[in-house]
Amino acid sequence: MIPSIFTPFTLPNGQVLKNRLVKAAMEENLATSEHLPGTELKRLYKAWADGGVGLIITGNVMIDHLAMTGPGGVVLEQDTDLTPFSEWAKLSKTNATKIWMQVNHPGRQVFKKMGGKVLSPSDVALNMGKHSSLFSPPKPMDESEIQDVIQRFTTTAVRAEQAGFDGVEIHAAHGYLLSQFLSPLTNKRNDQWGGSLENRARLLIEVVKSVNEACGEGVAIAVKLNSADFQRGGFDIEDAEQVVKMLGELNIDLVELSGGCYEAPAMQGRSADDRTLAREAYFLEFASKIAKYVSVPIMTTGGICRYEVAKKVVDSGVELVGMASSLAFTPDLVNQWQNNTTVLGHIPVVNWKDKTLSGLATMAMVKQQLRRIGAGKLPKLSASPLWALITDQVRGVKLTKRYKKQHENEIL
Ligand SMILES: Cc1cc2nc3c(=O)[nH]c(=O)nc-3n(C[C@H](O)[C@H](O)[C@H](O)COP(=O)(O)O)c2cc1C
């Protein structure tokens, strides 16, 4: 019998999710100046827990305070005070919700104005057309930097467990460091970390193994992976199939399939090669194909905001349904669907001529809602893209200044 989206799901490690609907990771940029979760983040996560999802995956938490995806990000390192993290986990568990921490390293996707470490497998700079100068060229990583990254992922995962998180999700999608190692466009190495797919996947596999060994059995381990980069010559669906198989052998609990990177934001429904993505549930075709022959549970995220589409995901054999933007606009969408399946979620679309600015404005509109909920206000469906972008940029400048001042002795 095909399960409903409201049927509980038991993960390989025995953890039970009360339903199939998951709040996917969204970086909030709402951390305190010490990079800790504060009042706003806790209020936001309580709203999601009250809103009915079975699982919440946090926005990406950085494993190194000198390698940040953006200002105002949360960081969890060896010496970080765990108290605010324990409070964050506890509130997120309200209403029998599970909470997993997403852990991430940006690699080369670091804004130049932030500074800090800009590392990558090879010295391939981001190509964002006329916006390329927003990013610095990366430094190819040496062996000790690679080992340091494995250790940092492990430390953050162990500390998340100590703080009471039910699981960790290792971010290997969207063009961040682990995804850079996977892609032949960004990984030009000819040592054991580059070349064949097995070599390109080695860093991800080593991180997963290390986290698996260090964390207790009760902690769920997930990986977010691109079903493809949607760039010519990049990591492709056949590669993704092989990597999911490799991950399946490590007894992990979930693979979340997404797609794209800063250069080709497929996670916003746009590809940079000639493939057309579905208008809704962008990666379902790939996810359902992969789900057919692997035993590791699969989740797909991207373009899901209608009950019928969420149902179609589960009907097609994909175990979990990831939603991000729609839960920023309607944090209790799942509760609403329990009573009325015709309620529509909302995913903003901005179609300006400049695709990079359109992408940034879309993100800004979503982030605006996260800030509103964090401040105890209701989300605003009528958000203006231009206004959201301006506010987000102004806020970003302030937070970047704060970050640079705080770490002026460490950032070169
Ligand atoms: C504001 C914002 C922040 C995001 N931050 C993250 C993140 O930290 N980690 C991640 O894996 N994906 C992140 N994403 C991507 C989402 O998890 C998701 O893959 C993407 O938005 C597509 O899903 P949706 O159509 O339901 O929004 C972010 C998306 C948005 C809109």
Side-chain angles (χ1 to χ4, degrees), residues 234-301:
F235 181 80
D236 218 332
I237 174 109
E238 291 79 23
D239 297 331
E241 287 172 8
Q242 293 307 316
V243 174
V244 175
K245 274 190 195 156
M246 293 178 204
L247 291 169
E249 282 164 23
L250 302 178
N251 296 324
I252 64 167
D253 296 287
L254 181 73
V255 173
E256 174 184 358
L257 287 171
S258 181
C261 56
Y262 284 13
E263 289 173 344
M267 58 291 210
Q268 292 182 339
R270 286 197 303 264
S271 75
D273 51 18
D274 39 20
R275 274 177 291 193
T276 314
L277 289 166
R279 213 167 46 82
E280 292 176 276
Y282 316 133
F283 310 110
L284 179 57
E285 186 192 332
F286 309 102
S288 57
K289 193 168 160 229
I290 290 177
K292 281 200 178 73
Y293 59 84
V294 292
S295 55
V296 53
I298 301 288
M299 161 165 133
T300 186
T301 302

Side-chain angles (χ1 to χ4, degrees), residues 12-265:
N13 82 340
Q15 195 172 120
V16 180
L17 307 181
K18 67 180 179 183
N19 60 43
R20 310 298 181 105
L21 300 158
V22 180
K23 195 293 282 180
M26 275 182 283
E27 173 171 300
E28 313 84 3
N29 308 107
L30 283 175
T32 66
S33 56
E34 289 80 34
H35 315 306
L36 301 172
T39 315
E40 289 160 308
L41 265 185
K42 289 177 211 158
R43 201 182 277 132
L44 172 62
Y45 278 69
K46 172 81 167 50
W48 278 322
D50 287 338
V53 288
L55 169 66
I56 299 175
I57 302 179
T58 67
N60 59 182
V61 170
M62 298 296 118
I63 61 172
D64 183 344
H65 70 279
L66 292 180
M68 304 282 292
T69 50
V74 180
V75 180
L76 179 55
E77 294 173 297
Q78 185 61 52
D79 303 326
T80 312
D81 175 15
L82 274 191
T83 315
F85 286 89
S86 303
E87 291 164 3
W88 190 22
K90 192 170 166 221
L91 276 174
S92 307
K93 289 187 189 194
T94 312
N95 197 17
T97 314
K98 298 288 181 196
I99 173 84
W100 296 359
M101 181 185 287
Q102 186 185 66
V103 291
N104 192 20
H105 188 296
R108 66 176 187 158
Q109 291 188 159
V110 175
F111 287 98
K112 196 187 269 174
K113 59 187 185 197
M114 282 291 285
K117 300 178 191 169
V118 188
L119 301 174
S120 199
S122 309
D123 60 352
V124 182
L126 269 160
N127 179 0
M128 305 280 295
K130 65 180 183 201
H131 301 288
S132 298
S133 61
L134 290 174
F135 299 90
S136 306
K139 171 191 177 297
M141 290 168 78
D142 62 28
E143 188 64 30
S144 70
E145 285 163 332
I146 292 177
Q147 294 305 327
D148 180 58
V149 159
I150 298 173
Q151 195 45 55
R152 282 177 181 276
F153 268 109
T154 312
T155 302
T156 305
V158 168
R159 305 221 68 214
E161 176 184 8
Q162 288 165 351
F165 285 80
D166 302 300
V168 288
E169 180 180 70
I170 296 158
H171 198 347
H174 301 172
Y176 292 114
L177 183 68
L178 297 178
S179 159
Q180 285 158 41
F181 268 84
L182 288 167
S183 171
L185 291 176
T186 39
N187 186 343
K188 306 283 184 195
R189 300 175 77 98
N190 49 25
D191 59 5
Q192 59 160 339
W193 306 103
S196 64
L197 179 62
E198 196 190 348
N199 280 355
R200 282 182 276 125
R202 192 177 304 280
L203 181 56
L204 169 62
I205 298 296
E206 289 303 316
V207 168
V208 172
K209 278 186 186 162
S210 175
V211 168
N212 222 341
E213 272 166 30
C215 288
E217 289 200 344
V219 178
I221 297 179
V223 170
K224 185 161 182 170
L225 188 72
N226 277 355
S227 50
D229 292 343
F230 297 94
Q231 287 179 293
R232 282 188 197 90
F235 181 80
D236 218 332
I237 174 109
E238 291 79 23
D239 297 331
E241 287 172 8
Q242 293 307 316
V243 174
V244 175
K245 274 190 195 156
M246 293 178 204
L247 291 169
E249 282 164 23
L250 302 178
N251 296 324
I252 64 167
D253 296 287
L254 181 73
V255 173
E256 174 184 358
L257 287 171
S258 181
C261 56
Y262 284 13
E263 289 173 344

